[in-house]
Amino acid sequence: MSSQLYDSYQYLITHIVPGPNSISYFIPVLILPSALLIPPSFLSKTALASLFLPIIYACFAHSCLHGGGLDVLSLDVVIWATVLLGLQDPRGTYKRIHLTSNPSRQTSAETEPKSTPCNGGKKDESQDSEPPLRPSRISPLTTWEEPYPPTFLRRLPWVFTLIFSIRLCNWRISSPQHDAKQPHASISRLAYIRRSLLIASTSFLILDTAAICVKNDPYFLSPTLGITSALPPVSANSIWPLSIYHLLPPPIARVLILCGHIYPLLTLPSALLSLPLLLLPEPWSPHTHPPLFGSFAAIPRRGLRGLWGQWWHQLMRYLTSLPGASLSRALGLRPGSRKDYICRVIVSFGLSGCIHMGLVPPEPRYATTWGKWGTRGWIAGFFWVQVIGFGVEVVVEGWWKRAGWGKSGVWAGRWGRWVRAVAVMLWVLCWVALTVPMVGVAGKELGWFVPYPLPVSFWTRQIYGEGALFWWGR
């Protein structure tokens, strides 16, 4: 039995998705918290990085060589360790924001926390140098800030909370842009449940519709068919999603289906799996954290920058952006300048491409055309070419501002803003249609479209005439 489990696991991490393959895979996971638990009075920031980062890098290199390539989680740990140990100084500058409904809470004098009412009350004048705290939409909470604790027992929860707070929610990191949004304005648990159920049901319908279109389009299963190849004929009694699908130009139809796969595969599990976590106390409960996705309205306002920077999930925002900020400072670039912005974008998408290369196993089961490195190139290339799109927007925006059209004239009025929003959306749609097929090529090589992604399906019943409302996805 144990031999069968071992063989199944080896098949999984070799042909389906990369995973732990040696003891060196886990060593960085143990080293990172151990290093952060050492107080700065014992090891300085430079000494800490010099001692532990080479070990982490060596273990990561051994794990990659032993496993045949990158892995998403192990690379995330290495980048996060680089940020926390080398590029930032969390022991000296980070502060954890605690939320409590008990205003009379007395905190340890050793940590000297600052208490601030998070209910719209007036801020203490002595705290003018601190970014303002955002009011909560739930019951009045008191917030207090905890810097790096002086005692080991208090450091344990502080350090482990930081390591798992990859979005740095409810943390102050000495970054005005980030700190001004902390703590996040939370909602009630009931409102979170309603929102999650709405997201889950909508995501289910989107994914089921996209999956049934995939099932009836050989492009998604054939490595030789291009995205511009003709759509298969549709029968007279076909369901309406397939009928609409065949009315669209093939490239547009397939790009929409690709997006209809990617988006709900992130939102559906997140919405459902987060519901049991509402039983946790307020600092850990998901209703006190920002939603996975932001406002879609950011896209017509800011184009690709709104798509990637505000609407799309921000799970890796600080993981990939903080290294770019550190590089910009090291190069002496003026904060907020165009060169500073371009540097951050290049590093962020460069790291994002490398991280997503870790989705490709050493021997992809369905890779018959491009192989593992070609497939990795397609996935990474999708993120790397986003830099070009950002560059186009920066150049056009600079030209627009120099022309003065955004401040006066017809473009400053209501109709001008509407026309601009429509133009921006058309630009984003064209860019997405141009670049998303790169993900489709990788998806075909990895067999993403072979299994039906849902255990139950409404549309299979409509097609195959099954008696039940839902039928097992096939």
Side-chain angles (χ1 to χ4, degrees):
M1 182 65 179
S2 59
S3 176
Q4 291 179 344
L5 288 176
Y6 176 80
D7 293 340
S8 299
Y9 176 74
Q10 288 298 317
Y11 182 87
L12 175 68
I13 65 174
T14 303
H15 302 288
I16 307 301
V17 60
N21 51 68
S22 66
I23 190 65
S24 58
Y25 186 99
F26 299 98
I27 293 178
V29 179
L30 300 175
I31 289 180
L32 178 57
S34 301
L36 289 174
L37 285 170
I38 300 174
S41 59
F42 188 81
L43 277 181
S44 66
K45 174 180 177 295
T46 302
L48 196 74
S50 302
L51 178 62
F52 290 105
L53 283 181
I55 302 175
I56 291 175
Y57 295 154
C59 292
F60 173 70
H62 177 270
S63 177
C64 291
L65 293 174
H66 188 270
L70 296 174
D71 169 80
V72 172
L73 294 180
S74 63
L75 184 54
D76 283 348
V77 171
V78 169
I79 298 175
W80 199 222
T82 303
V83 170
L84 296 180
L85 299 182
L87 304 180
Q88 299 279 300
D89 185 19
R91 299 179 303 168
T93 60
Y94 281 25
K95 295 179 181 179
R96 181 186 176 189
I97 300 176
H98 292 264
L99 306 178
T100 176
S101 56
N102 182 7
S104 62
R105 177 186 176 99
Q106 297 296 320
T107 57
S108 172
E110 296 175 317
T111 60
E112 300 181 1
K114 299 177 182 178
S115 295
T116 305
C118 196
N119 58 357
K122 291 184 178 180
K123 187 180 67 169
D124 193 337
E125 294 298 328
S126 64
Q127 301 178 21
D128 286 343
S129 60
E130 294 289 336
L133 294 174
R134 297 180 66 189
S136 173
R137 297 199 298 270
I138 58 176
S139 58
L141 296 176
T142 295
T143 68
W144 56 280
E145 299 173 9
E146 182 185 19
Y148 188 77
T151 63
F152 179 78
L153 291 180
R154 293 183 65 86
R155 282 200 297 271
L156 279 173
W158 195 94
V159 166
F160 281 97
T161 301
L162 172 61
I163 291 175
F164 287 101
S165 300
I166 196 169
R167 301 174 73 181
L168 292 175
C169 180
N170 294 333
W171 284 87
R172 291 197 184 276
I173 63 172
S174 299
S175 169
Q177 184 179 7
H178 169 271
D179 294 350
K181 303 175 183 178
Q182 306 301 320
H184 170 70
S186 56
I187 60 177
S188 68
R189 283 181 168 87
L190 182 59
Y192 184 88
I193 292 174
R194 290 197 299 264
R195 185 179 68 185
S196 297
L197 292 178
L198 176 62
I199 292 174
S201 58
T202 304
S203 300
F204 174 87
L205 292 176
I206 293 174
L207 184 57
D208 194 23
T209 303
I212 203 64
C213 292
V214 165
K215 190 175 180 64
N216 289 269
D217 188 347
Y219 159 78
F220 292 97
L221 299 178
S222 173
T224 59
L225 286 180
I227 197 168
T228 58
S229 59
L231 296 172
V234 59
S235 60
N237 59 347
S238 179
I239 57 175
W240 63 265
L242 290 178
S243 301
I244 296 177
Y245 181 67
H246 284 74
L247 293 176
L248 299 172
I252 301 300
R254 286 159 177 157
V255 165
L256 290 176
I257 295 306
L258 285 169
C259 296
H261 255 77
I262 298 170
Y263 173 77
L265 282 175
L266 293 171
T267 55
L268 181 58
S270 172
L272 295 179
L273 296 178
S274 65
L275 291 177
L277 300 180
L278 291 172
L279 299 174
L280 296 174
E282 281 182 341
W284 293 95
S285 177
H287 80 283
T288 64
H289 292 182
L292 182 64
F293 280 75
S295 172
F296 190 83
I299 301 178
R301 285 200 309 267
R302 303 190 64 229
L304 293 177
R305 292 165 294 174
L307 188 154
W308 288 110
Q310 293 177 264
W311 177 66
W312 196 248
H313 77 81
Q314 304 296 297
L315 293 178
M316 298 182 181
R317 178 181 181 87
Y318 294 102
L319 189 74
T320 58
S321 65
L322 290 177
S326 298
L327 178 61
S328 177
R329 287 195 300 269
L331 295 175
L333 303 181
R334 181 172 57 85
S337 65
R338 181 176 296 183
K339 291 182 179 179
D340 170 67
Y341 179 75
I342 293 175
C343 177
R344 292 168 182 252
V345 169
I346 291 175
V347 174
S348 294
F349 281 102
L351 290 175
S352 295
C354 293
I355 290 173
H356 287 84
M357 286 173 67
L359 295 172
V360 182
E363 300 175 11
R365 178 182 176 184
Y366 297 95
T368 58
T369 303
W370 293 98
K372 63 179 180 181
W373 285 110
T375 305
R376 289 167 180 164
W378 280 111
I379 291 182
F382 167 74
F383 291 94
W384 294 341
V385 299
Q386 302 303 317
V387 177
I388 300 175
F390 273 66
V392 171
E393 289 192 347
V394 169
V395 171
V396 172
E397 184 180 57
W399 173 72
W400 183 275
K401 288 181 178 179
R402 285 194 298 272
W405 290 350
K407 298 181 179 179
S408 60
V410 66
W411 297 107
R414 178 181 178 184
W415 288 107
R417 291 195 298 270
W418 272 101
V419 172
R420 182 181 182 276
V422 171
V424 170
M425 280 300 301
L426 289 175
W427 148 249
V428 172
L429 290 174
C430 291
W431 182 257
V432 168
L434 182 65
T435 59
V436 166
M438 301 174 72
V439 180
V441 174
K444 291 196 291 184
E445 292 288 288
L446 295 174
W448 289 349
F449 310 112
V450 174
Y452 205 87
L454 292 168
V456 293
S457 169
F458 174 76
W459 294 120
T460 54
R461 180 223 180 217
Q462 303 296 315
I463 291 179
Y464 301 110
E466 305 295 345
L469 174 62
F470 291 103
W471 186 248
W472 192 261
R474 47 177 168 174

